[in-house]
Amino acid sequence: MKTTLSVIKADIGSLAGHHVVHPDTIAAANKILAEAKRNNIISDYYITYVGDDLQLIMTHNRGELDTRVHETAWNAFKEAAKIAKDLGLYAAGQDLLSDSFSGNLRGMGPGIAEIEFEERPAEPVVIFMADKTEPGAYNLPLYKIFADPFNTAGLVIDPTMHEGYKFEVLDVYEGESIMLNTPEESYDLLALIGTPSRYIVRRVYRKADNLQASVVSVERLNLIAGKYVGKDDPVMVVRAQHGLPALGEILEAFTVPYLVPGWMRGSHYGPLMPVSQKDARATRFDGPPRLISLGFNIKNGKLVGPTDLFDDPAFDEVRRTAVIIADYIRKHGPFMPHRLEPQEMEYTTLPLVIEKLKNRFKKETDMYKTKPSVYSHESSHE
Ligand code: 13P
Ligand code: 13P
Ligand code: MG
Ligand code: MG
Ligand code: MG
């Protein structure tokens, strides 16, 4: 029998701003998931948080996009949001964009990463959860984990990994996906995923036998809601070992605090800082963007663990570098490239401010005859 791992998350409100989930809301979600486990809707679960995002990690045998599993998650978020409202938490119910549940959670606000697999004798998985950033933030580490031999020794050494991996990339502007093979199409892959706001790696498969190795929650809230309603704060599942990257090869991809969009008001680039669960609170300038990772083994649908993988002095220097980068980039204040590019600011309240100045511009010159098409959101690949 196949096992499905469903990681479903939502921001249902935070204590004192947008920085941390309140324990009473976790308790409310726990009641719903405990009941679902008693009723055999799910086999096992673990609830946690990163910053203001409540994370439901569930196992079951019902496959992806299952109505009962999604309804369980929806009810857990609803109950948690109710408590958040009662406590007067900030932005209570923030990511619950729709009022009524209809079949599954797609397009309703919560982020969803689900993967169904035949359990191997040992099934190690790593679950990454980020706050104050968006799903394309996983593009760079996924490339390093599954396609960069300088990161992942197994690509060179292990015969089952040597053929490489396939990357499924979603174009979130057009709603289209493409499958690209590495190593032979690495440069094509990078041509796309180097624009992470538009092209998001959604799934990765082992080429030798199509075994699915990874999945990312690709929901982009501003594209769903048509306006800025908070950042997506994505999750990712990566299976490890035995013909897949080793645990340490997966974590090695996070030894550089690379710049990601998000942070304050979802409008600034900042370093992605890998932290332990105890430091999973987005404080400074509502950040910097934070990432936790929990390791589990899955056995007969049960979650064994977790282990808090970034709770390790080996990552202290990464965190220190992240703080140095944060200090440096913050000095740019409201200037790009700290602030996001105009097409990404389109969904924030900045256009309202600029709109007010519209009539005060005076025509000066006809010398600038072209403007970049990237600003018009037109597809450049048609
Ligand atoms: P151990 O001898 O500690 O099991 O190490 C195995 C290994 O290959 C680590 O990458
Ligand atoms: P969240 O998506 O984490 O709620 O971030 C909202 C925000 O604007 C932080 O400054
Ligand atoms: Mg929030
Ligand atoms: Mg958040
Ligand atoms: Mg958010």
Side-chain angles (χ1 to χ4, degrees):
M1 191 165 35
K2 285 188 173 178
T3 298
T4 308
L5 173 61
S6 296
V7 185
I8 305 185
K9 48 85 41 182
D11 178 340
I12 48 81
S14 163
L15 189 59
H18 284 280
H19 93 286
V20 75
V21 167
H22 192 287
D24 291 0
T25 63
I26 295 181
N30 188 62
K31 264 192 205 158
I32 302 291
L33 265 53
E35 192 190 331
K37 186 175 168 179
R38 275 196 303 275
N39 294 335
N40 293 318
I41 295 169
I42 53 176
S43 314
D44 205 359
Y45 71 92
Y46 185 82
I47 303 180
T48 189
Y49 68 92
V50 57
D52 59 2
D53 289 273
L54 180 60
Q55 309 282 343
L56 311 178
I57 298 166
M58 300 172 287
T59 50
H60 54 94
N61 304 116
R62 298 170 181 274
E64 293 178 31
L65 293 171
D66 178 77
T67 298
R68 296 189 75 184
V69 173
H70 281 222
E71 193 171 26
T72 299
W74 181 248
N75 291 340
F77 292 139
K78 280 295 212 196
E79 287 302 309
K82 224 183 267 171
I83 300 295
K85 276 193 191 100
D86 291 348
L87 293 173
L89 299 186
Y90 194 68
Q94 179 181 293
D95 286 354
L96 310 182
L97 302 181
S98 178
D99 277 340
S100 53
F101 178 80
S102 55
N104 67 60
L105 286 174
R106 259 179 150 172
M108 293 184 73
I112 308 155
E114 297 188 292
I115 181 168
E116 187 183 33
F117 48 79
E118 206 70 65
E119 281 181 24
R120 297 169 294 167
E123 186 59 62
V125 298
V126 186
I127 300 174
F128 291 93
M129 293 158 272
D131 188 30
K132 304 298 181 273
T133 189
E134 55 186 52
Y138 294 125
N139 283 6
L140 187 154
L142 279 171
Y143 183 83
K144 288 175 84 168
I145 294 165
F146 290 104
D148 179 4
F150 280 76
N151 181 87
T152 300
L155 292 169
V156 178
I157 295 172
D158 183 340
T160 47
M161 295 176 63
H162 201 80
E163 263 189 62
Y165 288 85
K166 298 195 297 192
F167 287 68
E168 183 189 277
V169 177
L170 178 69
D171 174 347
V172 290
Y173 287 3
E174 298 293 327
E176 299 172 347
S177 66
I178 181 172
M179 193 75 87
L180 289 164
N181 294 319
T182 60
E184 62 272 31
E185 294 179 305
S186 297
Y187 300 164
D188 295 312
L189 176 66
L190 290 169
L192 297 179
I193 68 172
T195 307
S197 53
R198 174 168 183 171
Y199 300 102
I200 303 172
V201 179
R202 180 169 54 188
R203 297 189 180 93
V204 180
Y205 298 88
R206 185 164 63 193
K207 230 195 297 165
D209 57 0
N210 279 324
L211 177 137
Q212 189 181 345
S214 185
V215 65
V216 170
S217 65
V218 291
E219 285 71 26
R220 287 217 52 200
L221 284 164
N222 57 2
L223 299 178
I224 295 170
K227 60 174 195 241
Y228 179 68
V229 289
K231 255 329 193 212
D232 319 310
D233 308 330
V235 291
M236 167 167 81
V237 176
V238 184
R239 297 170 73 193
Q241 305 289 154
H242 197 73
L244 295 175
L247 175 76
E249 291 170 333
I250 295 166
L251 300 177
E252 185 66 12
F254 298 94
T255 49
V256 175
Y258 54 95
L259 295 171
V260 297
W263 209 351
M264 175 57 71
R265 297 172 188 276
S267 307
H268 296 82
Y269 284 100
L272 186 65
M273 185 161 78
V275 294
S276 67
Q277 179 75 73
K278 74 174 173 2
D279 293 323
R281 294 172 301 122
T283 51
R284 181 182 176 184
F285 202 51
D286 287 359
R290 267 158 222 245
L291 180 71
I292 62 166
S293 68
L294 298 183
F296 291 91
N297 273 73
I298 297 177
K299 189 67 182 174
N300 300 326
K302 297 285 169 211
L303 287 162
V304 181
T307 168
D308 183 354
L309 295 163
F310 290 137
D311 183 14
D312 179 349
F315 284 92
D316 282 352
E317 281 302 295
V318 185
R319 293 187 268 266
R320 213 175 71 88
T321 307
V323 174
I324 292 168
I325 294 168
D327 283 341
Y328 168 75
I329 200 162
R330 277 274 45 239
K331 291 201 168 69
H332 294 75
F335 284 79
M336 293 173 64
H338 184 22
R339 199 185 73 190
L340 301 192
E341 57 274 26
Q343 66 267 38
E344 288 300 315
M345 293 302 290
E346 203 175 295
Y347 299 96
T348 68
T349 44
L350 183 68
L352 297 176
V353 175
I354 292 171
E355 178 70 21
K356 278 206 304 200
L357 301 175
K358 215 171 104 187
N359 296 331
R360 292 175 56 189
F361 279 98
K362 286 187 304 212
K363 189 71 196 163
E364 285 272 351
T365 173
D366 285 325
M367 120 174 112
Y368 307 112
K369 299 208 188 323
T370 63
K371 56 181 175 189
S373 66
V374 66
Y375 288 91
S376 70
H377 271 206
E378 272 155 25
S379 169
S380 53
H381 66 254
E382 277 168 6

